[in-house]
Amino acid sequence: MSVTQLLGGNSTSGITAKPKGRERYAFDRNYVPILYRTLGLSVLLFVVWDKSPNPWFIVPCASQLLHQRKMEKPWLSLMLISILCCLALCKGIESPEFAVIHAESDFEVRLYPESTWMTASVRDISFEKSTWNGFHRLFQYIQGANLNFSRISMTAPVLTSIVPGAGPLHSSAYFVRFYLPVKFQATPPLPLPELHLKPDKWAVNCIAVRKFSGYARDDNIVKEAEKLAISLSRSPWANFTTSESNYAYSIAQYSSPFQIFGRINEIWVDVKNSGLEGCESGSVSTY
């Protein structure tokens, strides 16, 4: 056998010569209808996304639709869902306003004005299960399960407050809270009785905050709360964390559960408003 045959010069050899020139960059025409379908579906979902009061929940719907349609190329499905997740970062979600009155490298103290939240109480031994259970009821509420049949836009964060020792076998109980948009702050729609929700009015209050990334889990929220406690103990705010609150701390989650990268979570701890600079005297937190 010649060297040419060994290098693929013969069509019957096991080695094929590399394409030359334009042949190397030739486009497979079979991708054209797939790309058109992906583009069309992207435009449709973008329009629905832009008009939807709760756009995050289009992501699982899109995933299910792609599965039912049996999209030939799985990477195109992943690309479309990734585009939707990126759009969520561009679509503004309303959050409570605050002013930062003290900041250090690993925590800050914020002053929050009066606000109204809708609250779901949950008795469970798991933070994750309690948050899911409470938010499921809150989601029904904002989708129209209220006496006004009002659809309410999604806001951030979803806040889970921990009540130590109030759950089964002296475990923790939880309050899962949804921040009401400005248009519903004064007169929130009353939830349907079977949801067991209630509006919660907060006074002006100061909160110490520590940010952390990733998913908030049962096995990492306590560690993050301990880090905030250590930071506060070494700061001028060491003696100002409040014991008047019924809650040990709260976990604020700003990101959709479908967002994998760039997730934002926070640990919140009450700060006593006792004449501190920026925290007016007598404005004790009500949550």
Side-chain angles (χ1 to χ4, degrees), residues 7 27 109 135 148 287:
L7 295 178
F27 184 76
V109 178
F135 183 73
N148 296 353
Y287 72 100

Side-chain angles (χ1 to χ4, degrees), residues 32-281:
V32 173
I34 299 174
L35 289 173
Y36 274 124
R37 276 188 289 173
T38 303
L39 179 60
L41 186 57
S42 298
V43 172
L44 175 62
L45 289 172
F46 177 79
V47 173
V48 177
W49 183 286
D50 187 58
K51 301 299 181 182
S52 173
N54 298 292
W56 272 117
F57 291 87
I58 295 175
V59 175
C61 295
S63 178
Q64 182 65 22
L65 178 60
L66 291 172
H67 176 71
Q68 292 176 351
R69 295 283 295 181
K70 301 185 184 301
M71 193 68 105
E72 289 87 343
K73 301 298 180 181
W75 62 267
L76 289 175
S77 305
L78 294 174
M79 180 180 70
L80 179 58
I81 294 174
S82 299
I83 291 172
L84 289 173
C85 289
C86 291
L87 287 174
L89 300 177
C90 302
K91 186 180 178 73
I93 294 181
E94 193 173 336
S95 298
E97 296 181 351
F98 62 85
V100 177
I101 61 174
H102 179 86
E104 297 193 15
S105 60
D106 53 355
F107 81 97
E108 64 187 23
V109 178
R110 301 172 182 170
L111 176 64
Y112 282 87
E114 292 183 353
S115 59
T116 304
W117 301 63
M118 191 59 64
T119 302
S121 60
V122 184
R123 290 181 177 270
D124 205 309
I125 59 175
S126 167
F127 156 78
E128 294 177 62
K129 291 181 180 178
S130 296
T131 300
W132 180 258
N133 181 315
F135 183 73
H136 177 70
R137 289 149 55 192
L138 290 165
F139 181 65
Q140 293 181 69
Y141 168 75
I142 66 178
Q143 287 294 96
N146 53 72
L147 298 184
N148 296 353
F149 302 104
S150 299
R151 293 178 67 87
I152 303 171
S153 298
M154 188 63 196
T155 62
V158 173
L159 191 70
T160 304
S161 299
I162 299 177
V163 187
L169 301 175
H170 302 288
S171 61
S172 296
Y174 304 86
F175 285 88
V176 185
R177 294 188 167 91
F178 173 84
Y179 173 74
L180 290 166
V182 171
K183 65 180 294 185
F184 295 111
Q185 281 286 310
T187 55
L190 294 177
L192 296 182
E194 58 266 27
L195 295 180
H196 303 290
L197 305 176
K198 67 175 184 178
D200 196 2
K201 185 76 173 179
W202 291 8
V204 177
N205 60 323
C206 279
I207 298 175
V209 177
R210 172 186 171 82
K211 295 182 179 180
F212 66 100
S213 59
Y215 284 90
R217 305 288 195 191
D218 287 297
D219 59 355
N220 68 351
I221 59 172
V222 175
K223 295 178 182 178
E224 295 296 335
E226 290 175 345
K227 291 178 182 178
L228 177 57
I230 293 172
S231 298
L232 288 170
S233 68
R234 298 171 179 172
S235 75
W237 299 80
N239 298 321
F240 292 102
T241 53
T242 180
S243 59
E244 299 176 15
S245 172
N246 293 325
Y247 312 107
Y249 56 90
S250 301
I251 300 91
Q253 300 183 74
Y254 290 83
S255 306
S256 161
F258 309 105
Q259 181 179 340
I260 300 175
F261 303 106
R263 297 185 60 80
I264 301 175
N265 312 291
E266 295 173 344
I267 298 289
W268 288 12
V269 174
D270 290 356
V271 173
K272 287 188 293 188
N273 305 316
S274 54
L276 294 172
E277 182 179 357
C279 289
E280 287 74 10
S281 177

